[in-house]
Each structure stands twice: as structure tokens, then as C-alpha cells.
Amino acid sequence: MKTLVTGGAGYIGSVCVEELLNGGHEVVVFDNLSEGHRAAVDPRARFVRGCLSDPEDIFVALEASGADAVLHFAADALVGESMKDPGKYFRNNVANGLNLLEACVRAGVKKFVFSSTCATYGTPERVPIDELLAQRPINPYGESKLIFERMLEWYRQIHGLEFVGFRYFNAAGASERFGEHHRIETHLIPNILKVPLGQSASVSIFGTDYPTPDGTCVRDYIHLKDLADAHIRALEPGRMGFFNLGNGDGYSVREVIAACEKVTGKSIRVLEQPRRPGDPPRLVAAADKARTELGWAPKVNRLDDIVASAWEWHRRNPDGYPD
Ligand code: UFG
């Protein structure tokens, strides 16, 4: 298929672009490089530097691409930041996303694949989380993604734009070529790995008094290549709706640190800090719907293997991308 990928220079987008190209799809990457990196764009893709805040920019790129499908990764995605600057999240994830939706309708795009998040569930009533659970976000980031999910449903009903929305749990790991480089890193695994890389003296644990077995937050880490595989399946005809994407295994912050120590062979100093606002205690996926309806099954399901792929990339690229 001909595809346009927003955020294709970002962490998750870069690996999805790589896998789309490996699968024989054509890809135009549309990215403003605010978070992404030019070097993270697979050279087989065409790159357009543009911003979703400009409705004309995106329409022109879409028309020129002749895309049948749009995969929308571009977004702000930090829980903590959204608790300090909610406007940034509603502007970029909702208002700029709306520009993209309108351009898709105008350009006659058939399919829209959206990067949503388990943060739309807030603090869930039960775990593991299936798609039928109530969505009650506890941070503006999750709220902004939920608003966009609702918009998608209206655009389907009114304009016939077919969509698949993926609620990612914690994206992690790397491919051989592309990995995680945020200019300001807040994510757990890359922050832990900075210690064995010699770039930090210690890693902070945000909150040790959660109602979890060891008092630290529990998350479901899912490898980028498995996320990419689901996106490719979403392009097949007839695929529709919202799907959780996670391994179904929960690991506490302390367990992730232990896995990093095992994989790197180095001991990692920790600093116990207060809770970070907006963090739910436990997020673990029930991804049965994706398994049944998309035939999807994560292949990298051991935390050690996920961490090992991240470690491999960071060891080879200790300073991340050059730009
Ligand atoms: N954490 C630490 N120390 C750190 C970094 C994180 O203790 O240095 C903790 C956090 O407080 C949290 C857990 O590790 O409890 C995971 O934090 P991340 O920042 O790695 O990931 P989040 O769960 O906050 O958020 C990520 C993405 C979101 C996505 C969410 C789904 O950034 O976009 O996963 O859970 F919605």
C-alpha cells in the first residue's frame, strides 16, 4: 500500500516505517523533527519535513503521496509533562490531529491507523485491562488520546474513514538500526541503561509506596517490532476498531532494573524518590482481541530480550542519533 506516516522519525514510528518497507509498502514520512531525528528515517522512505499545525502542509504532502493509508504516530507522549503543561497536549494531540483528519477526508484516504495508549484507561478497575474497561484518564496525555479516539469514531460514521486504534502499553526495545533517543529522556529503560553506559551515576525510582508487591509501579513492556507487526496487520482489508497491544506480563520498576543488571552484567545504583504525578500503579494488557481478530502474537515476550535489544542499540549508539 501507499502510506503516509506522521512521526516516522520518532522512536516507535521509525521502526514501524522500517517494517512497512520490509513488507513491501511505500512510505512517505511526515515529521517536524521536534522530537524525531532525520537519521531515524529509513533511507528507503521519502521524507517530508512538515508540521501538523499547518493544515495546508499536511494536505499537500498527502495529495503528493497518493496515500491509501495514514499511520499517525506524531504526538506528545509524556505523562509527567502533560501534568505540567496540559495545553501542549491538547494543542498537539487533539487540534493538530484534527488538521490531519480533515486533510485525510479531503484527500480521500481510506484507512487511518492511530497510536493510542493504555493511559486512556487511567487507574483501571481491574487488571489485566481489556478493551471493554471504562476509559477514565488520570492525566491530560491520556485524555488527549481518548478525545482523538472519539473523533475517529465520528469520522468513521460521518465520512466513512476506516480506522484502527492501538492502545500501546509500554513500548520498549530497539531494532538493529533504530532505537530510543529522546532529547530529554524520561522513560524508564533508557534512563536505567544510562548508568551502565557511564552517563548517569544512578537511576531514580519514582514512588516506592504503591499498592503493588514491591511498592513500585508495574508496567507491561512491549517490543517495537511487535507493535510494528500489528500495524502492518491493521492495513489488511476489514480490520477495524481499538486494540490493546501488550505482552500481558507486568514488571515492577525494581524488576526492570534487575533485568537491566542481568543483561548488562553491571550493578545499577538506585535513588528512591517520591511518586511522579499522573502515574497509575499497575497497567497490564489483556491483548486477546488483537490475537483473535488480527492474528497478532508478540514474538519478543521475555523482558530480558526486550532489554537486551535496547542495550545492544545504546551500546552501539551511546549518544543516540547525530542530530
Ligand atoms: N520511572 C522511574 N524512573 C525513571 C523513569 C520512570 O521510576 O527514571 C517509572 C515511572 O514513574 C513509571 C514507570 O517507571 O512508574 C514507567 O515510566 P515510563 O516513563 O517509562 O513510562 P510511562 O508508563 O509513564 O509512560 C509510557 C509512555 C506513554 C504511554 C505509557 C503507557 O511514555 O506514552 O507508557 O503506560 F502512554
Side-chain angles (χ1 to χ4, degrees):
M1 271 177 113
K2 290 187 176 176
T3 65
L4 182 135
V5 179
T6 74
Y11 172 47
I12 305 175
S14 61
V15 172
C16 280
V17 166
E18 184 183 22
E19 294 294 324
L20 281 165
L21 290 159
N22 289 345
H25 297 283
E26 277 181 40
V27 180
V28 173
V29 168
F30 185 89
D31 199 301
N32 65 1
L33 301 183
S34 65
E35 292 292 335
H37 305 270
R38 184 64 183 87
V41 179
D42 192 305
R44 295 170 292 171
R46 194 158 72 74
F47 177 68
V48 177
R49 186 167 186 172
C51 192
L52 294 174
S53 59
D54 184 334
E56 214 43 43
D57 249 23
I58 177 69
F59 179 68
V60 169
L62 256 182
E63 280 265 287
S65 70
D68 314 295
V70 166
L71 295 95
H72 179 37
F73 295 92
D76 287 309
L78 300 178
V79 170
E81 183 187 55
S82 80
M83 294 293 284
K84 295 186 183 127
D85 187 359
K88 181 175 180 187
Y89 283 73
F90 294 117
R91 189 173 306 111
N92 193 23
N93 298 357
V94 181
N96 293 351
L98 178 62
N99 290 338
L100 175 63
L101 272 184
E102 287 284 307
C104 286
V105 171
R106 236 175 109 195
V109 170
K110 301 276 175 310
K111 184 111 188 209
F112 195 96
V113 184
F114 174 55
S115 301
S116 190
T117 169
C118 63
T120 57
Y121 293 108
T123 302
E125 280 156 17
R126 58 171 192 272
V127 174
I129 300 168
D130 61 58
E131 292 82 355
L132 298 176
L133 268 189
Q135 290 172 291
R136 294 193 202 99
I138 61 163
N139 50 62
Y141 165 60
E143 189 77 59
S144 69
K145 290 284 185 174
L146 180 58
I147 293 170
F148 198 85
E149 283 195 4
R150 300 228 161 108
M151 283 161 42
L152 278 178
E153 181 54 35
W154 288 111
Y155 272 67
R156 183 190 67 78
Q157 281 187 36
I158 295 163
H159 293 298
L161 179 62
E162 282 187 18
F163 73 83
V164 171
F166 287 124
R167 297 178 187 145
Y168 307 154
F169 283 64
N170 286 53
S175 74
E176 289 69 25
R177 294 158 75 194
F178 304 114
E180 189 159 15
H181 174 189
H182 297 106
R183 291 185 181 88
I184 296 173
E185 191 53 80
T186 64
H187 292 98
L188 181 62
I189 293 176
N191 272 348
I192 300 171
L193 294 178
K194 280 184 198 289
V195 181
L197 280 172
Q199 296 172 348
S200 301
S202 61
V203 65
S204 294
I205 298 183
F206 298 130
T208 53
D209 60 347
Y210 283 98
T212 58
D214 69 16
T216 67
C217 284
V218 169
R219 295 286 182 272
D220 180 338
Y221 295 86
I222 178 80
H223 197 274
L224 293 190
K225 284 196 179 177
D226 286 320
L227 293 181
D229 177 42
H231 286 72
I232 287 161
R233 290 167 190 272
L235 296 179
E236 292 165 11
R239 310 298 201 198
M240 261 295 301
F242 293 106
F243 300 89
N244 289 342
L245 295 180
N247 269 309
D249 301 316
Y251 293 98
S252 72
V253 173
R254 289 190 204 280
E255 287 173 324
V256 178
I257 295 170
C260 292
E261 288 188 318
K262 191 173 152 204
V263 165
T264 63
K266 306 212 173 153
S267 89
I268 292 166
R269 211 172 139 236
V270 305
L271 274 185
E272 296 188 1
Q273 307 268 21
R275 292 182 180 196
R276 191 175 71 175
D279 279 345
R282 208 161 157 239
L283 295 170
V284 179
D288 305 351
K289 190 178 173 203
R291 289 173 189 270
T292 318
E293 291 187 25
L294 305 179
W296 176 78
K299 295 188 186 74
V300 195
N301 24 35
R302 292 178 57 242
L303 181 64
D304 287 359
D305 294 336
I306 294 175
V307 167
S309 76
W311 175 236
E312 200 40 47
W313 192 84
H314 286 291
R315 259 202 328 182
R316 276 192 276 111
N317 306 277
D319 300 316
Y321 295 110
D323 52 352

